[in-house]
């Protein structure tokens, strides 16, 4: 069972961690803005990934859509980054910055043994550092996807869910799609 924490407290905790990692003042201003808005939106609620998704949908409707290019795109992409950072920090205890993890991935208990066994297998059979890290990223994304679908143990994973997860790769580079499919297929 994941810890229960108020949205406001989780936002403050993550903001403090980001400051300790020396995020730029410009980045902190943007993250702080999103955290403030999310805290106001959530009120006194406990954090959940679905609450973050609801906030993004609400913000999307409020703005009439997000701009992904041009002068406003950087501001609007921070909504996605900030909410995803909260989900990763809450679910896995990690901070992801560029290509570096800060913290250790804490897999949800029902997935821990299977995940660690699969990653151990990859190392034993000669998987190099980059593919190993990519595999970890994909598995983390898959577990986040399962969480958003309400699946919290291996028994709930179905071929239909795996197919829907692979559909989230639309728009990614073919190599990225192949990596994702390979990692989920092997895991």
């Amino acid at each position: 069972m994941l810890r229960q924490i108020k949205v406001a407290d989780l936002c403050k905790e993550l903001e403090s961690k980001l400051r300790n990692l020396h995020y730029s003042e410009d980045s902190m201003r943007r993250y702080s803005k999103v955290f403030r808005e999310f805290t106001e939106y959530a009120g006194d609620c406990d954090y959940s990934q679905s609450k973050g998704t609801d906030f993004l949908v609400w913000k999307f409707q409020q703005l009439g859509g997000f701009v992904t290019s041009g002068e406003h795109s950087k501001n609007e992409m921070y909504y996605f980054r900030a909410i995803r950072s909260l989900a990763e920090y809450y679910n896995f205890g990690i901070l992801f910055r560029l290509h570096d993890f800060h913290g250790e991935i804490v897999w949800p208990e029902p997935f821990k043994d299977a995940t660690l066994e699969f990653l151990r297998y990859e190392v034993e059979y000669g998987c190099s550092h980059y593919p190993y890290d990519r595999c970890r990223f994909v598995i983390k994304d898959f577990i986040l996807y399962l969480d958003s679908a309400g699946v919290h143990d291996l028994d709930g994973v179905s071929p239909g869910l795996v197919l829907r997860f692979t559909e989230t790769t639309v728009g990614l580079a073919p190599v990225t799609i192949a990596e994702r499919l390979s990692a989920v297929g092997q895991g």
Side-chain angles (χ1 to χ4, degrees):
M1 182 78 177
L2 294 173
R3 68 183 174 141
Q4 297 295 307
I5 186 170
K6 301 291 181 195
V7 168
D9 294 335
L10 183 64
C11 288
K12 285 178 193 170
E13 192 176 307
L14 181 55
E15 188 171 344
S16 174
K17 299 274 186 192
L18 297 176
R19 288 193 188 284
N20 289 340
L21 289 171
H22 306 290
Y23 272 52
S24 72
E25 283 306 311
D26 183 52
S27 290
M28 287 310 305
R29 181 180 55 78
R30 294 170 197 272
Y31 274 98
S32 295
K33 177 183 186 293
V34 175
F35 291 160
R36 265 193 321 277
E37 289 181 25
F38 183 36
T39 298
E40 288 173 21
Y41 173 83
D44 195 38
C45 290
D46 284 341
Y47 174 81
S48 69
Q49 189 171 333
S50 61
K51 181 62 76 178
T53 302
D54 293 344
F55 168 72
L56 285 176
V57 169
W58 173 78
K59 193 65 183 177
F60 180 82
Q61 291 170 341
Q62 183 185 44
L63 295 174
F66 281 112
V67 177
T68 57
S69 62
E71 67 180 272
H72 300 293
S73 64
K74 188 173 184 182
N75 291 329
E76 293 175 359
M77 290 308 291
Y78 268 88
Y79 283 95
F80 292 105
R81 287 184 190 152
I83 297 303
R84 181 172 179 167
S85 293
L86 280 170
E88 290 176 343
Y89 182 69
Y90 175 76
N91 286 320
F92 299 106
I94 62 168
L95 300 175
F96 182 72
R97 182 178 183 184
L98 298 176
H99 298 292
D100 297 323
F101 279 108
H102 296 276
E104 196 58 40
I105 293 179
V106 181
W107 301 111
E109 200 60 42
F111 297 104
K112 184 176 183 177
D113 290 338
T115 302
L116 293 177
E117 184 178 321
F118 169 70
L119 292 171
R120 191 176 313 109
Y121 170 85
E122 289 291 296
V123 170
E124 287 174 4
Y125 285 92
C127 184
S128 64
H129 181 70
Y130 177 75
Y132 176 83
D133 278 347
R134 291 297 309 148
C135 227
R136 286 178 50 184
F137 298 150
V138 172
I139 292 170
K140 174 190 58 69
D141 287 347
F142 184 55
I143 292 174
L144 283 172
Y145 176 80
L146 292 173
D147 181 64
S148 70
V151 175
H152 304 291
D153 60 41
L154 291 171
D155 293 334
V157 179
S158 68
L161 275 174
V162 173
L163 178 62
R164 286 194 295 281
F165 173 72
T166 60
E167 290 170 353
T168 66
T169 63
V170 171
L172 296 176
V175 170
T176 303
I177 293 171
E179 287 176 344
R180 287 179 150 234
L181 294 175
S182 175
V184 171
Q186 292 175 30

